[in-house]
Amino acid sequence: MTYFALFFTYTGAIKYEKFLKSKGCPCKIMPVPRKLTSNCGVGAKFTFEEDINSVISEDIEKLFKVDGEEYTLIYEEE
């Protein structure tokens, strides 16, 4: 599955990229697509095949499942 994470801060995005890479999960930091919103304007796109709850951190503002050009919100920090 492909996911796109939004972050509260740029630092959180960089920290999360390092976290995913330490788990052997490829991750690409990139600008947030226009149809999504973000506090910092930077997001992380990654593929993860295991339980997604195991990689949700306090740095994530929102997490979307990506299917082609469609984004489905699956997690939002309250």
Side-chain angles (χ1 to χ4, degrees), residues 4-33:
F4 197 91
L6 306 182
F7 301 91
F8 293 106
T9 66
Y10 178 77
T11 304
I14 299 303
K15 182 176 154 186
Y16 192 71
E17 177 187 33
K18 290 178 185 178
F19 167 72
L20 286 180
K21 287 185 176 181
S22 75
K23 292 189 163 291
C25 180
C27 175
K28 182 176 181 179
I29 297 296
M30 57 194 317
V32 174

Side-chain angles (χ1 to χ4, degrees), residues 5-6 38 50 56-57 66:
L6 306 182
S38 173
E50 299 172 35
I56 292 179
S57 76
V66 181

Side-chain angles (χ1 to χ4, degrees), residues 54-71:
S54 68
V55 292
I56 292 179
S57 76
E58 71 270 359
D59 294 310
I60 294 176
E61 177 185 4
K62 295 179 182 177
L63 182 63
F64 294 86
K65 180 179 168 187
V66 181
D67 186 14
E69 296 296 316
E70 296 295 317
Y71 295 86

